[in-house]
């Protein structure tokens, strides 16, 4: 049975430094939830608190409806895959994967070296454990590596062994701390798909930590965006992208980064920013400062638009990224153009870019998004 | 310009290989020369001298073949020294290796005062052995020594620690452990600090979170290479036990604390029988070499290197 997880007002301070402040969230049973944020945002600390490896300064952790704060990691029914994989380097793959089962099913004296060959009941249990290890490693296609030591494995193989060690005891919750960051780019894409498949196959709860927004967006049911120890938004990847709650979320998610133009309400319902005119909900006082967020793909060349000079053109094959400096305030903005529909702008040329009005995002001075009457979710 | 990359690269690489080898030799030459003069040369000289009847100062040493070795085998003092040295190594090496490991584990578990305890335990390593020996002599003195005072105050009999044949080797062993413990502790502390914390985290999640399980699953195997090194170094040091013996007992009473190094010293430098002392030295070197080889053979099978 997959477990859900609830965090209530988790905070963590070390000395005078605040690592996490007031984190509350509910993870549904069987959900794939990703904690994403730049390094140092506290996401790994939060994962360690869930695992029981670190203790929160205040707040509560509930796992499967049970208060878990005083449970040691081994009793929380969680398994963890570490960034470095943390395989025991002196043990073979088989022994590595067997550790969680041997620790649980055998008493200390039963794990002693000779006991296995002397006591029949222990031998039977060891056989059952070996069978389970065979089954798990076969399902991950690493059964041919069982006799090897971790140092004889490639990065991708080590990562699978770490997964196998986590899976072997059939935990209710999987915790993963940047498990792909030690892989090369090609392996990472493959492993991404494999982990998503694994989640579907096992049907248990995954909590996944990454600084890579692509991983977060492609694998998760829901994404938690964290920054400086704060939970900024928790929502589906689509909503995080198209309706970010906060300017910082909008800036963190999406490559290239969202274009942010600062401007002022010049009359009721109208905002001027970056040489462009934008519709805003009426009722906002004239003179109010606001920011307009425009995703690069929401900018199109047009006859009437913001005037800009092209400073750089990147051709990605499927897209063309145009870097241009706005005539009005010298700010650089990036537009993602379709090479099959528009002529490729040349370096130094003057272009006019117009945003797709239904895609623009409005933020108030504090960075909170203002639901615009025109803006609608693409999801 | 050639069109074939092989043709382009082949000849120069051959030439570079040769010049690289020459550079390598040039870099190694100083230490090869130094080791020849300071290490291999003297060992060879000792071996040659051990085949002569040379007494120090004798202008005409004669070739004596294996006579020195035959005499050595027939000499009960040699066997006493060999036995005592073995006894010393057998006690001091395990005691200081496992003692040092224990202290290192305790200190590494401290959140405060770790540096203080580390320094305290390391002091004996830094103290000049002869000075330490004098201090110990005072502590162990049969009439005015602090140890006997304490024992008598507790109603226990005192001993003449360095003059009773049954006691002198155990006492020297205690001093040897005292002198070595800090050294092994520092090496183990370094080894402990290089164990990645994620391994302990993984062990905690896997269920190996008790003191013993953590030690067996992570600490001990990860310390393998350090332990091998510590064993070999302390064993070599223990075989060479000399200072305490020379200062405190001179091998006495009645050869009860005679050890190999002291025998070599007295034969070579007190009795000036250089040929015989050289034969002793050759035997001594052979024992250390054999011991080290066996140790690393045994360990190598069981030690994991990253």
């Amino acid at each position: 049975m997959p477990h859900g997880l609830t965090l209530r007002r988790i905070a963590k301070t070390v000395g005078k430094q605040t690592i996490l402040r007031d984190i509350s969230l509910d993870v549904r049973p069987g959900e794939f939830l990703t904690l994403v944020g730049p390094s140092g945002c506290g996401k790994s600390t939060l994962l360690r608190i869930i695992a029981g490896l670190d203790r929160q300064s205040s707040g509560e952790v509930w796992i499967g409806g049970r208060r878990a704060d005083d449970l040691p990691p081994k009793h929380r029914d969680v398994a963890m895959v570490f960034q470095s994989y943390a395989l025991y380097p002196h043990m073979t793959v088989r022994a590595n994967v067997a550790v969680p089962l041997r620790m649980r099913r055998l008493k200390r004296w039963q794990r002693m070296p000779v006991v296995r060959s002397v006591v029949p009941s222990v031998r039977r249990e060891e056989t059952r454990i070996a069978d389970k290890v065979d089954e798990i490693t076969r399902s991950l296609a690493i059964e041919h590596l069982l006799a090897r030591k971790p140092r004889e494995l490639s990065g991708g193989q080590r990562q699978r062994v770490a997964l196998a060690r986590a899976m072997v005891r059939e935990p209710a919750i999987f915790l993963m701390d940047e498990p792909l960051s030690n892989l090369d780019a090609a392996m990472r894409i493959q492993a991404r798909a494999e982990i998503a498949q694994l989640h579907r196959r096992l049907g248990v709860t995954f909590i996944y930590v990454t600084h890579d927004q692509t991983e977060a967006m492609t694998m998760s049911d829901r994404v938690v965006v964290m920054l400086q120890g704060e939970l900024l938004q928790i929502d589906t990847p689509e909503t995080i992208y198209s309706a970010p709650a906060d300017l910082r979320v909008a800036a963190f998610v999406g490559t290239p980064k969202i274009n942010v133009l600062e401007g002022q309400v010049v009359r009721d319902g109208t905002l001027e920013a970056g040489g462009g005119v934008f519709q805003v909900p009426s009722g906002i006082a004239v003179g109010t400062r606001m920011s307009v967020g425009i995703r690069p793909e929401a900018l199109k060349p047009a006859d009437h638009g913001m005037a800009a000079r092209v400073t750089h053109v990147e051709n990605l094959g499927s897209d063309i990224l145009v870097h241009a400096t706005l005539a009005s305030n010298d700010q650089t903005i990036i537009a993602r153009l379709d090479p099959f529909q528009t002529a490729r702008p040349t370096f130094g040329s003057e272009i006019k870019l117009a945003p797709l009005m239904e895609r623009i995002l409005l933020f108030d001075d504090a960075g909170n998004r203002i639901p615009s009457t025109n803006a609608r979710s693409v999801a | 310009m050639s069109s074939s990359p092989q043709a382009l690269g082949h000849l120069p690489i051959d030439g570079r290989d040769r010049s690289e080898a020459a550079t390598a030799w040039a870099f190694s030459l100083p230490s090869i020369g130094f080791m020849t003069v300071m290490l291999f040369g003297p060992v060879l000289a000792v071996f040659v001298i051990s085949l002569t009847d040379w007494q120090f100062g004798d202008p005409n040493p004669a070739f004596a073949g294996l006579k020195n070795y035959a005499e050595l085998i027939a000499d009960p003092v040699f066997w006493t020294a060999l036995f005592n040295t073995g006894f010393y190594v057998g006690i001091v090496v395990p005691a200081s290796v496992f003692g040092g490991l224990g202290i290192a584990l305790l200190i590494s578990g401290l959140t405060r005062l770790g540096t203080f305890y580390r320094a305290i335990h390391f002091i004996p390593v830094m103290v000049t052995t002869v000075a330490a020996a004098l201090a110990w002599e005072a502590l162990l003195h049969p009439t005015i020594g602090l140890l006997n005072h304490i024992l008598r105050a507790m109603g226990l009999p005192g001993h003449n620690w360095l003059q009773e044949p049954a006691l002198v080797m155990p006492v020297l062993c205690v001093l040897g452990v005292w002198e070595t413990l800090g050294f092994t502790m520092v090496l183990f502390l370094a080894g402990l600090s290089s164990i990645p914390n994620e391994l302990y985290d993984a062990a905690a999640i896997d269920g190996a979170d008790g003191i013993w399980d953590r030690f067996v699953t992570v600490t001990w195997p990860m310390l393998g290479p350090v332990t091998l090194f510590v064993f070999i170094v302390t064993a070599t040091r223990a075989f060479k036990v000399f200072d305490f013996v020379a200062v405190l007992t001179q091998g006495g009473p009645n050869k009860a604390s005679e050890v190999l190094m002291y025998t070599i010293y007295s034969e070579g430098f007190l009795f000036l029988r250089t040929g015989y002392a050289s034969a002793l030295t050759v035997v001594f070197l052979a024992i250390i070499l054999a011991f080290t080889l066996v140790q690393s053979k045994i360990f190598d099978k069981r030690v994991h290197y990253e």
Side-chain angles (χ1 to χ4, degrees):
Chain A
M1 238 333 259
H3 279 342
L5 172 102
T6 301
L7 302 180
R8 286 198 193 139
R9 313 210 54 170
I10 296 286
K12 171 85 178 169
T13 49
V14 176
K16 280 186 179 149
Q17 210 185 349
T18 304
I19 312 282
L20 293 172
R21 66 183 91 215
D22 203 12
I23 308 269
S24 297
L25 62 88
D26 267 301
V27 187
R28 301 170 194 135
E31 186 174 24
F32 195 128
L33 184 90
T34 300
L35 308 177
V36 68
S39 47
C41 72
K43 55 194 190 297
S44 287
T45 308
L46 190 59
L47 197 72
R48 293 175 58 84
I49 287 172
I50 295 171
L53 296 170
D54 278 346
R55 195 170 169 101
Q56 68 272 26
S57 307
S58 64
E60 298 169 9
V61 178
W62 293 72
I63 295 175
R66 211 157 49 121
R67 180 92 183 258
D69 298 324
D70 294 320
L71 296 177
K74 63 175 173 182
H75 290 146
R76 291 191 177 201
D77 210 2
V78 300
M80 188 153 166
V81 177
F82 294 86
Q83 183 171 1
S84 67
Y85 313 134
L87 300 175
Y88 307 112
H90 56 284
M91 295 184 192
T92 60
V93 168
R94 173 178 288 287
N96 261 289
V97 178
V99 168
L101 293 183
R102 297 190 75 227
M103 285 295 160
R104 269 175 182 69
R105 298 194 189 166
L106 298 173
K107 294 190 177 63
R108 186 167 299 151
W109 67 269
Q110 293 177 320
R111 294 195 299 264
M112 296 286 176
V114 202
V115 177
R116 162 192 330 220
S117 40
V118 184
V119 185
S121 65
V122 175
R123 193 186 316 155
R124 278 196 298 277
E125 191 55 56
E126 293 271 18
T127 311
R128 276 196 289 274
I129 290 173
D131 290 345
K132 183 76 192 168
V133 170
D134 286 334
E135 178 198 325
I136 295 289
T137 49
R138 212 176 302 125
S139 77
L140 288 170
I142 49 170
E143 73 271 26
H144 58 293
L145 305 173
L146 281 170
R148 296 209 199 155
K149 297 262 177 85
R151 67 166 178 274
E152 299 161 323
L153 304 179
S154 70
Q157 290 169 332
R158 285 181 207 191
Q159 191 243 346
R160 285 176 191 219
V161 175
L163 272 177
R165 186 177 62 178
M167 284 164 63
V168 74
R169 36 180 283 226
E170 300 174 352
I173 301 182
F174 263 85
L175 307 175
M176 302 200 181
D177 189 3
E178 309 235 7
L180 307 186
S181 59
N182 286 340
L183 300 180
D184 63 47
M187 272 301 300
R188 210 174 299 160
I189 292 171
Q190 190 193 335
R192 218 156 67 193
E194 281 177 4
I195 288 179
Q197 276 167 17
L198 189 67
H199 173 248
R200 277 194 292 274
R201 180 155 65 85
L202 299 176
V204 302
T205 313
F206 274 44
I207 301 177
Y208 187 101
V209 161
T210 182
H211 66 271
D212 183 323
Q213 45 155 313
T214 318
E215 283 174 28
M217 302 298 275
T218 52
M219 300 162 76
S220 334
D221 295 321
R222 284 193 302 161
V223 175
V224 176
V225 183
M226 293 180 64
L227 197 73
Q228 291 171 339
E230 231 176 306
L231 190 160
L232 294 184
Q233 188 170 10
I234 168 166
D235 222 317
T236 61
E238 295 79 13
T239 312
I240 294 272
Y241 188 77
S242 60
D246 192 288
L247 186 54
R248 292 170 291 177
V249 176
F252 181 75
V253 177
T255 345
K257 237 167 121 163
I258 192 167
N259 301 297
V260 179
L261 307 175
E262 288 179 7
Q264 258 183 350
V265 176
V266 288
R267 56 183 176 276
D268 190 42
T270 305
L271 176 89
E272 271 187 25
V277 177
F278 301 87
Q279 268 191 322
V280 296
S282 61
I284 301 172
V286 170
T288 307
R289 302 190 59 82
M290 296 176 75
S291 300
V292 181
I294 311 167
R295 295 276 179 207
E297 66 272 19
L299 275 173
K300 294 291 167 231
D303 298 334
H304 305 285
M306 298 178 287
R309 176 194 296 274
V310 176
T311 54
H312 186 52
V313 179
E314 291 174 295
N315 188 355
L316 305 181
S318 57
D319 302 291
I320 293 176
L321 298 181
V322 177
H323 300 234
T325 307
L326 289 177
S328 64
N329 62 0
D330 272 355
Q331 186 184 348
T332 298
I333 60 170
I334 300 177
R336 183 198 295 273
L337 305 183
D338 183 343
F340 304 103
Q341 286 186 1
T342 42
R344 185 175 161 177
T346 49
F347 172 79
S349 63
E350 303 285 340
I351 54 167
K352 286 202 162 104
L353 292 167
L356 302 173
M357 282 302 171
E358 72 274 14
R359 296 276 310 270
I360 67 165
L361 303 166
L362 295 173
F363 300 92
D364 66 18
D365 215 18
N368 298 313
R369 192 169 63 86
I370 301 163
S372 130
T373 44
N374 289 332
R376 58 181 176 81
S377 161
V378 287
Chain B
M1 279 286 126
S2 165
S3 59
S4 150
Q6 273 95 348
L8 194 73
H10 212 72
L11 278 175
I13 280 179
D14 244 14
R16 200 187 309 143
D17 262 5
R18 213 170 300 129
S19 80
E20 250 178 39
T23 314
W25 278 109
F27 275 122
S28 331
L29 210 59
S31 56
I32 290 174
F34 193 74
M35 282 170 78
T36 308
V37 173
M38 304 300 289
L39 206 65
F40 306 132
V43 169
L44 192 68
V46 164
F47 182 69
V48 170
I49 294 170
S50 77
L51 301 176
T52 68
D53 67 352
W54 192 37
Q55 305 214 349
F56 192 73
D58 178 0
N60 299 312
F63 181 73
L66 296 175
K67 186 178 138 288
N68 285 327
Y69 292 92
E71 187 185 335
L72 182 152
I73 287 168
D75 184 359
V77 176
F78 166 73
W79 292 105
T80 308
L82 189 63
F83 176 82
N84 283 342
T85 308
F87 178 84
Y88 182 86
V89 170
I91 301 288
V92 169
V93 172
S96 46
V97 169
F98 292 108
L101 175 61
I103 294 172
L105 286 171
L106 289 175
I107 290 180
S108 73
L110 292 176
T111 45
R112 297 178 316 123
L113 292 177
T115 325
F116 171 74
Y117 282 109
R118 201 163 57 212
I120 290 273
H121 284 95
F122 198 67
I123 286 174
V125 184
M126 298 187 296
V127 170
T128 316
T129 314
V130 175
L134 292 173
W136 278 109
E137 191 170 33
L139 285 173
L140 298 171
H141 193 277
T143 50
I144 58 165
L146 184 64
L147 182 59
N148 275 354
H149 274 295
I150 293 173
L151 286 175
R152 287 198 201 98
M154 288 162 49
L156 296 167
H159 284 281
N160 191 348
W161 300 101
L162 295 169
Q163 292 304 319
E164 292 178 28
L167 278 180
V168 64
M169 274 320 289
V171 168
L172 285 172
C173 286
V174 170
L175 301 194
V177 173
W178 172 83
E179 194 191 21
T180 317
L181 214 49
F183 176 68
T184 56
M185 171 208 72
V186 163
L187 292 173
F188 277 122
L189 273 175
L192 284 172
S193 70
S194 71
I195 300 177
N197 266 330
E198 276 200 340
L199 280 183
Y200 288 112
D201 290 342
I205 294 212
D206 290 345
D209 55 357
I211 291 175
W212 174 253
D213 288 334
R214 277 162 63 95
F215 182 76
V216 171
T217 313
V218 180
T219 313
W220 180 243
M222 294 303 286
L223 284 178
V226 176
T227 310
L228 170 64
F229 177 75
V230 169
F231 252 108
I232 288 179
V233 172
T234 35
T236 312
R237 273 173 64 130
F239 268 115
K240 295 194 292 195
V241 55
F242 175 74
D243 310 24
F244 278 129
V245 175
V247 176
L248 295 179
T249 69
Q250 291 86 43
N254 192 23
K255 307 286 181 204
S257 64
E258 186 81 19
V259 290
L260 276 178
M261 276 303 262
Y262 193 76
T263 317
I264 293 171
Y265 163 76
S266 38
E267 290 293 343
F269 296 94
L270 299 182
F271 313 141
L272 301 180
R273 300 175 60 203
T274 316
Y276 185 66
S278 298
L280 276 170
T281 308
V282 169
V283 170
F284 178 74
L285 282 178
I287 291 173
I288 289 196
L289 192 66
F291 193 81
T292 308
L293 281 178
V294 168
Q295 235 175 355
S296 54
K297 268 278 181 306
I298 293 172
F299 269 99
D300 242 4
K301 286 204 189 97
R302 335 202 79 234
V303 166
H304 156 82
Y305 294 97
E306 189 59 48

